[in-house]
Amino acid sequence: MSEPADRELSLRDPGRARIRWEIAIVLGLSLGQSAVYSVVAILNRLTLEVPLAEQTATLNPSRSTREIFDLIYQLLSIGFALVPVVLVGFLLWSSRRPHLSRLGIDGTRPGRDLLWGAALALGIGIPGIAVYLAGRALGLSVAVDPSGLNAYWWTIPVLLLSALRAALQEEVIVLGYLFARLGDLAWRRWTIIVSAAVLRGSYHLYQGIGAFVGNVAMGILFGWIYSRTRRVVPFIVAHLLLDAAIFVGYPWVATAFPELFGLPG
């Protein structure tokens, strides 16, 4: 076999060791890194004198007191966070259409994917709020401030971009990429589902034990559905709608229901 043919074959069918290293690199550049930081963060929180329920986690903090530089930092942070998403698209790109089919993206049923995504958001939203409130009541979760940004003309657009960043990063990597690559390693279906769900919960640990449990449960549901449909777009849509509603709607909700959603004084 010629050298170009050998190279093409190795790219299409990488060895198991190479796949393991690839997964480690992708996660080390993205959500695996977040999970490690999150584990350290929860250990730090749990060993503070201040109870967990009286602590706060800010999801979209301001990065500068100067408006223009805060905007620049926000856009840079969002852009660089999406590089691993582009990377997994490059790694699993197919020469045949649909090019991103291994990631569960094919664009053949956009209307149906949007409807499924909206339905998932509605089905997950209310239980998610209940889990958050239960975690707060039991002292297992910190108070989450979805936006620490000041009120600028660009605040809402940046929050929506942040919601899109989270949706793309989490669903494309945790569902599309990991399910494809762990399948290449011959992992069993439920082993993949549970492992991906635990990863999802782990990088939310900085919000408390309640957030970990809630996200693991959501991850198992998402993973089970994805394993049957192999379509990632509905989950991107659902995640985007949920985070957009939380990021943009939080100030109103906190004002309307301060006893439930207000931050500790």
Side-chain angles (χ1 to χ4, degrees):
M1 187 178 293
S2 65
E3 183 180 346
D6 286 339
R7 186 182 299 114
E8 183 178 0
L9 180 59
S10 67
L11 290 174
R12 288 182 180 179
D13 186 25
R16 295 169 69 89
R18 185 182 180 91
I19 291 175
R20 293 191 187 98
W21 275 106
E22 179 190 292
I23 293 171
I25 292 169
V26 168
L27 293 182
L29 293 172
S30 58
L31 298 171
Q33 178 186 135
S34 299
V36 172
Y37 275 108
S38 201
V39 169
V40 174
I42 192 61
L43 292 174
N44 179 38
R45 290 183 180 279
L46 290 173
T47 52
L48 291 174
E49 294 183 1
V50 180
L52 198 62
E54 296 179 17
Q55 299 178 36
T56 301
T58 303
L59 303 188
N60 295 287
S62 177
R63 299 178 184 273
S64 174
T65 57
R66 301 170 66 187
E67 179 183 351
I68 184 61
F69 284 97
D70 197 0
L71 174 59
I72 292 171
Y73 283 133
Q74 297 294 334
L75 295 177
L76 287 175
S77 176
I78 292 169
F80 282 117
L82 289 174
V83 171
V85 179
V86 178
L87 174 61
V88 299
F90 175 81
L91 291 170
L92 295 186
W93 181 271
S94 171
S95 59
R96 298 179 180 178
R97 294 180 180 272
H99 300 301
L100 296 176
S101 59
R102 294 210 66 205
L103 289 174
I105 302 172
D106 62 21
T108 58
R109 296 182 292 181
R112 187 172 180 179
D113 287 343
L114 288 173
L115 290 175
W116 267 106
L120 279 171
L122 289 173
I124 292 294
I126 295 177
I129 293 173
V131 170
Y132 172 73
L133 294 177
R136 297 282 295 129
L138 295 172
L140 298 176
S141 297
V142 304
V144 176
D145 181 1
S147 174
L149 298 178
N150 293 319
Y152 300 125
W153 65 267
W154 48 261
T155 299
I156 290 179
V158 163
L159 289 174
L160 294 176
L161 285 175
S162 182
L164 179 61
R165 183 271 310 160
L168 288 171
Q169 188 181 48
E170 294 188 36
E171 306 313 329
V172 172
I173 293 176
V174 176
L175 291 180
Y177 174 75
L178 279 184
F179 274 64
R181 277 314 196 204
L182 295 178
D184 290 340
L185 293 176
W187 284 32
R188 294 184 178 182
R189 177 189 176 199
W190 276 102
T191 303
I192 297 174
I193 291 172
V194 172
S195 299
V198 170
L199 172 64
R200 188 187 293 266
S202 297
Y203 58 74
H204 287 96
L205 258 175
Y206 70 95
Q207 299 176 17
I209 306 301
F212 172 81
V213 173
N215 277 279
V216 168
M218 186 181 78
I220 290 174
L221 176 63
F222 274 24
W224 176 72
I225 297 174
Y226 178 74
S227 70
R228 297 173 64 87
T229 65
R230 293 291 172 172
R231 303 188 67 79
V232 81
V233 174
F235 301 96
I236 295 173
V237 172
H239 199 138
L240 170 61
L241 292 176
L242 288 170
D243 279 5
I246 293 170
F247 294 171
V248 176
Y250 175 78
W252 176 83
V253 173
T255 301
F257 307 98
E259 66 283 358
L260 292 177
F261 298 98
L263 301 177

